[in-house]
Amino acid sequence: MTKVFEAADATNLMTELRRSFDSGVTRGTEWRVSQLKKLLIICDNHEPEIVAALHHDLAKPELESSVYEVALLRNSINLALKQLKVWMAPDKAKTSLTTFPASAEIVSEPLGIVLVISAWNYPFLLSIDPVIGAISAGNAVVLKPSELAPASSSLLAKLMEQYLDPSAVRVVEGAVTETTLLLEQKWDKIFYTGSSKIGRIIMTAAAKHLTPVVLELGGKSPVVVDSNTNLKVTAKRIIAGKWGCNNGQACISPDYILTTKDYAPKLIDAMKHELETFYGKNAMESKDMSRIVNSNHFDRLSKMLEEKEVSDKIVCGGQKDRENLKIAPTILLDVPLDSLMMSEEIFGPLLPILTVKDLEDSFDVIRSRPKPLAAYLFTQNEKLKERFAMTISAGGIVVNDIAVHLALPTLPFGGVGESGMGSYHGKFSFDAFSHKKAVLYKSFMGDSAIRYAPYSRGKLRLLKALVNTNILEVFKVLLGLS
Ligand SMILES: NC(=O)c1ccc[n+]([C@@H]2O[C@H](COP(=O)([O-])OP(=O)(O)OC[C@H]3O[C@@H](n4cnc5c(N)ncnc54)[C@H](O)[C@@H]3O)[C@@H](O)[C@H]2O)c1
């Protein structure tokens, strides 16, 4: 029987990790590299177990597990290993006349002990990716995986315990009770992935200790489809980004489509056709699609689908099988804006299409709602692309594809407004777990009396000119011309 995690365990954990962090072990490049290499071994040697755990928790197809979880993690680790020395090196900063003579730099210093709380939908990626950032930046870290993906959570705990330095990297499994105990501790940063509702609980707990947070939340990510598009590719990419990414249970999954009244029937036909090509005549039987994570989420989605004035808007799919936690890829047309489906994040295989008179009206629809984690546009119109990218606020924007920005470590990944705060991936992960410390080195040379009392009008004028880097004024004051 696994031991219950109690309040004393949480405080002991903090004491042990604080001792390790204070000893300086996690700050060394060697430690960081060794831990990152261990994470790589987990990916390289345990992929079949990871794929099996994901199949157990979500019936996730092997391709999605191997590529969107393990391969992406391998990429992150290799990038960190390759770039670590560059990331860790202090950045030279320019100095000014005010501080002359001096040199300055920005030192990336580890924050201390950080807590990573992750979600169930991509349990390996969303757990290990932030941990890569935390370790790269030289922190001690506690990971709390989601209890809703139990096989993945216990495999993560087992593997991380087996390979990583237990004095500075730990996994605590559990649900609300365990997370609440962890949240009572004083962390140096909390990195949370999950819903906005729980995000508020995390931020409230963090505020008590003035702990900074990264909140990787979700939201309703819209897809705008222009009639001037490559319809076949558009349909395929929307399907791959929706049902082909954990069956719509992904934070950057298309939540709803906006298109014109005239174009909607063409888009629906193309999507129906491609859905059949992807998943066959009976998509419920396809092995190439994850199932719904559990019966609570199944019921939540069913409720959305069965709502009055929604159920009669289904134009494709709609079949459900509670026993096997399956819902067919379902497309709906013009569901009411005040329906559950349009008020809450869907996070599942339902995809409503809203029609607008002019495509530009879709911009107003998006702007009238909370800022999403991602916003997508399909078009061949260059002006429209630019207008979308420049005027729509979202965590990230992709033109003519879905979700692929997540795979580019040169781009920050994170939300804005209701979809979250802070970002990570690549160097952004390192920065998310570092304090950018300002360091200024001065010598005893050039000790000018102008900032020392007794003050005078001349000192005042000279100091003002120096602070404003006004060389001409400096000379004027020195020559007594001002
Ligand atoms: N931005 C991203 O990268 C990202 C990625 C995946 C999912 N998400 C978002 O996450 C949401 C889905 O995840 P979820 O919230 O259902 O995941 P979840 O239920 O797994 O919860 C996330 C974490 O919060 C913890 N938790 C739950 N209730 C808590 C409480 N009362 N107090 C403290 N901790 C608690 C859970 O134990 C878990 O570790 C969606 O909104 C989705 O868009 C965002």
Side-chain angles (χ1 to χ4, degrees):
M1 210 178 83
T2 40
K3 196 180 162 294
V4 183
F5 187 79
E6 292 171 346
D9 298 316
T11 39
N12 290 341
L13 177 72
M14 292 308 278
T15 311
E16 285 168 33
L17 292 190
R18 183 67 65 195
R19 201 178 298 132
S20 277
F21 180 73
D22 289 345
S23 78
V25 63
T26 63
R27 287 176 182 258
T29 316
E30 236 171 70
W31 183 85
R32 305 185 200 196
V33 167
S34 74
Q35 299 306 296
L36 290 170
K37 284 188 172 162
K38 293 284 168 57
L39 288 174
L40 201 55
I41 293 175
I42 292 181
C43 294
D44 288 343
N45 294 6
H46 296 276
E47 187 168 327
E49 287 156 84
I50 294 174
V51 169
L54 287 165
H55 195 267
H56 180 277
D57 288 334
L58 289 150
K60 204 175 264 200
E62 184 185 349
L63 181 142
E64 287 185 37
S65 299
S66 282
V67 180
Y68 307 152
E69 303 231 27
V70 184
L72 284 182
L73 278 176
R74 223 180 256 127
N75 245 4
S76 281
I77 301 164
N78 282 324
L79 182 73
L81 283 168
K82 202 166 144 216
Q83 293 294 318
L84 192 61
K85 286 216 171 111
V86 179
W87 293 347
M88 284 173 69
D91 285 324
K92 286 273 165 242
K94 266 175 84 171
T95 53
S96 71
L97 267 181
T98 326
T99 52
F100 181 83
S103 68
E105 60 188 21
I106 302 159
V107 172
S108 293
E109 123 183 314
L111 292 168
I113 309 179
V114 299
L115 174 64
V116 171
I117 303 174
S118 75
W120 52 266
N121 58 333
Y122 285 82
F124 288 90
L125 183 70
L126 300 177
S127 297
I128 296 182
D129 220 3
V131 169
I132 294 167
I135 289 175
S136 300
N139 298 278
V141 53
V142 173
L143 165 68
K144 211 298 289 170
S146 173
E147 70 282 13
L148 298 195
S152 302
S153 173
S154 80
L155 183 60
L156 272 164
K158 187 188 112 184
L159 294 175
M160 289 186 58
E161 193 176 316
Q162 183 181 338
Y163 286 102
L164 292 148
D165 173 7
S167 76
V169 184
R170 294 282 183 83
V171 178
V172 174
E173 286 194 86
V176 179
T177 314
E178 292 78 2
T179 317
T180 307
L181 289 176
L182 289 172
L183 286 172
E184 281 164 7
Q185 306 302 313
K186 183 172 166 40
W187 300 92
D188 295 303
K189 185 134 197 181
I190 301 176
F191 186 106
Y192 171 78
T193 304
S195 65
S196 331
K197 188 176 147 228
I198 310 299
R200 287 177 164 81
I201 296 176
I202 305 294
M203 203 164 166
T204 306
K208 214 172 143 200
H209 299 290
L210 270 188
T211 297
V213 290
V214 170
L215 299 179
E216 291 287 338
L217 311 177
K220 294 183 77 62
S221 299
V223 185
V224 176
V225 181
D226 183 18
S227 56
N228 177 10
T229 190
N230 180 326
L231 183 56
K232 195 173 173 64
V233 177
T234 299
K236 283 203 250 191
R237 290 184 180 175
I238 293 175
I239 294 168
K242 175 82 176 176
W243 297 283
C245 287
N246 204 27
N247 202 2
Q249 302 168 109
C251 55
I252 44 175
S253 176
D255 191 274
Y256 64 101
I257 291 178
L258 289 155
T259 194
T260 56
K261 259 199 172 20
D262 296 343
Y263 200 62
K266 293 191 189 78
L267 180 62
I268 292 168
D269 283 348
M271 287 183 65
K272 277 183 176 170
H273 175 78
E274 296 302 337
L275 271 170
E276 198 175 315
T277 316
F278 275 46
Y279 303 115
K281 281 209 179 322
N282 186 359
M284 302 273 275
E285 278 172 12
S286 172
K287 298 269 179 278
D288 292 340
M289 219 183 317
S290 300
R291 63 160 160 75
I292 309 303
V293 63
N294 59 26
S295 50
N296 285 346
H297 278 275
F298 183 95
D299 294 342
R300 177 183 64 78
L301 290 161
S302 296
K303 196 167 153 205
M304 279 184 180
L305 204 51
E306 282 157 13
E307 212 185 5
K308 209 170 140 252
E309 291 182 53
V310 169
S311 53
D312 57 346
K313 303 291 192 312
I314 296 172
V315 292
C316 172
Q319 302 84 347
K320 290 178 288 168
D321 171 0
R322 192 171 191 277
E323 198 181 327
N324 294 305
L325 298 173
K326 295 255 178 186
I327 299 178
T330 301
I331 302 174
L332 303 100
L333 185 62
D334 281 329
V335 300
L337 282 177
D338 60 357
S339 58
L340 265 182
M341 192 174 290
M342 281 313 298
S343 323
E344 291 177 9
E345 182 182 357
I346 295 172
F347 218 62
L350 320 175
L351 184 57
I353 298 178
L354 301 185
T355 58
V356 284
K357 206 156 152 269
D358 294 312
L359 202 70
E360 297 276 337
D361 297 343
S362 60
F363 285 34
D364 296 331
V365 175
I366 299 171
R367 281 196 212 105
S368 69
R369 304 179 144 254
K371 294 179 179 180
L373 186 58
Y376 305 107
L377 169 70
F378 285 88
T379 187
Q380 304 191 88
N381 177 332
E382 295 303 324
K383 286 227 160 69
L384 191 65
K385 287 181 195 173
E386 197 184 315
R387 227 167 23 250
F388 191 76
M390 291 304 145
T391 64
I392 295 298
S393 185
I397 282 188
V398 182
V399 174
N400 292 338
D401 211 333
I402 304 282
V404 288
H405 59 312
L406 173 126
L408 208 53
T410 47
L411 288 177
F413 185 80
V416 56
E418 279 278 317
S419 54
M421 59 186 73
S423 61
Y424 72 135
H425 288 186
K427 167 91 165 26
F428 303 101
S429 294
F430 177 86
D431 290 342
F433 289 103
S434 301
H435 165 56
K436 300 291 170 189
K437 186 165 68 180
V439 178
L440 181 77
Y441 295 101
K442 280 212 71 166
S443 78
F444 291 109
M445 279 169 30
D447 188 46
S448 158
I450 59 161
R451 66 190 164 109
Y452 300 148
Y455 299 145
S456 67
R457 298 304 299 170
K459 284 182 175 180
L460 173 83
R461 279 199 298 273
L462 190 53
L463 259 184
K464 265 170 95 173
L466 280 170
V467 169
N468 295 332
T469 331
N470 187 339
I471 306 273
L472 190 64
E473 187 62 21
V474 171
F475 278 118
K476 277 187 176 166
V477 178
L478 288 175
L479 296 172
L481 301 172
S482 169

